[in-house]
Amino acid sequence: GNSVTQMEGPVTLSEEAFLTINCTYTATGYPSLFWYVQYPGEGLQLLLKATKADDKGSNKGFEATYRKETTSFHLEKGSVQVSDSAVYFCALLTGGGNKLTFGTGTQLKVEL
Amino acid sequence: GAGVSQSPRYKVAKRGQDVALRCDPISGHVSLFWYQQALGQGPEFLTYFQNEAQLDKSGLPSDRFFAERPEGSVSTLKIQRTQQEDSAVYLCASSFRRTGNGEQYFGPGTRLTVT
């Protein structure tokens, strides 16, 4: 079956530090991959996506590259801000399907 | 415009009670999804509607769970004879697409606590 594995949190960084949140997946076929973010008190929001191998999704300074050979979709940001503090979820969608499969989420805390 | 709204935001139920959770999707969105999110976990798929048709209910954990979307807009998730293991946040999401592309708009969730 499909599954997503994320690095455990919380991850605590100082402002302007480099961020990496690891995500690997298991899926049949060629899934689309997503990062969703949940800010405190808000609903999940799509952050970025990639639909095929070697695609790079990017948004708000965050990037993730779809790596088929390592079945990974790691989230990176060069310089985090306090406002990036949130829970980040990696997810996948298999072709023709409608249900997202999520990882367990990684909490990020950015301090001044 | 308005996003996905859910009500109530918090619900406390005694074990054995029935509960009904409401979702108002974004106007015009064809697809509607329900997820269950246990504490410290990611959301898990429960069921999916395309307009009023329930096309996938493979994630519903038992026959105590029932969802409907009779007019293709508002949806209700009903849990009968609630158990403690039903305690979770229930998320609703909608999408304007008929076929899946993963871009779903989520509501804030209903936190259900069964005592």
Side-chain angles (χ1 to χ4, degrees), chain A residues 34 36 49 89 93 98-99 103, chain B residues 33 42 45 58 100 102-104:
Chain A
F34 306 83
Y36 275 80
K49 64 182 279 190
F89 292 90
L93 183 80
N98 283 291
K99 49 188 175 185
Chain B
F33 307 83
F45 171 84
S58 63
E103 295 184 22
Q104 299 177 12

Side-chain angles (χ1 to χ4, degrees), chain B residues 37-97:
Chain B
Q37 186 175 17
L39 188 63
Q41 301 297 314
E44 291 197 0
F45 171 84
L46 293 176
T47 188
Y48 158 65
F49 289 86
Q50 187 181 106
N51 295 309
E52 69 279 2
Q54 189 175 19
L55 298 186
D56 188 341
K57 52 182 181 178
S58 63
L60 295 176
S62 78
D63 59 7
R64 296 186 296 105
F65 286 71
F66 172 77
E68 59 183 5
R69 194 186 185 200
E71 296 178 359
S73 177
V74 170
S75 177
T76 304
L77 176 67
K78 298 179 179 178
I79 309 173
Q80 297 177 323
R81 304 181 303 281
T82 52
Q83 303 295 316
Q84 284 196 315
E85 62 263 28
D86 300 335
S87 295
V89 176
Y90 290 85
L91 299 173
C92 176
S94 69
S95 171
F96 67 91
R97 288 181 177 267

Side-chain angles (χ1 to χ4, degrees), chain A residues 1 7 12-13 16 19-20 38 60 66 88 92 94 96 102-104 106 108:
Chain A
M7 65 188 286
T12 303
L13 295 173
E16 299 184 1
L19 168 71
T20 300
Q38 187 169 32
K60 299 182 180 179
Y66 188 143
Y88 292 81
L92 67 82
T94 52
F102 287 90
T104 55
T106 302
L108 170 66

Side-chain angles (χ1 to χ4, degrees), chain A residues 31-104:
Chain A
S32 295
L33 302 172
F34 306 83
W35 278 100
Y36 275 80
V37 58
Q38 187 169 32
Y39 297 104
E42 299 184 17
L44 282 158
Q45 304 173 21
L46 178 64
L47 180 61
L48 54 84
K49 64 182 279 190
T51 58
K52 61 183 187 296
D54 300 324
D55 266 2
K56 178 185 285 188
S58 61
N59 186 24
K60 299 182 180 179
F62 291 88
E63 293 184 340
T65 301
Y66 188 143
R67 300 286 188 201
K68 181 167 170 286
E69 63 276 13
T70 54
T71 61
S72 64
F73 192 55
H74 304 322
L75 183 68
E76 296 181 336
K77 186 174 186 183
S79 175
V80 294
Q81 306 299 311
V82 172
S83 57
D84 294 326
S85 297
V87 181
Y88 292 81
F89 292 90
C90 186
L92 67 82
L93 183 80
T94 52
N98 283 291
K99 49 188 175 185
L100 289 164
T101 299
F102 287 90
T104 55

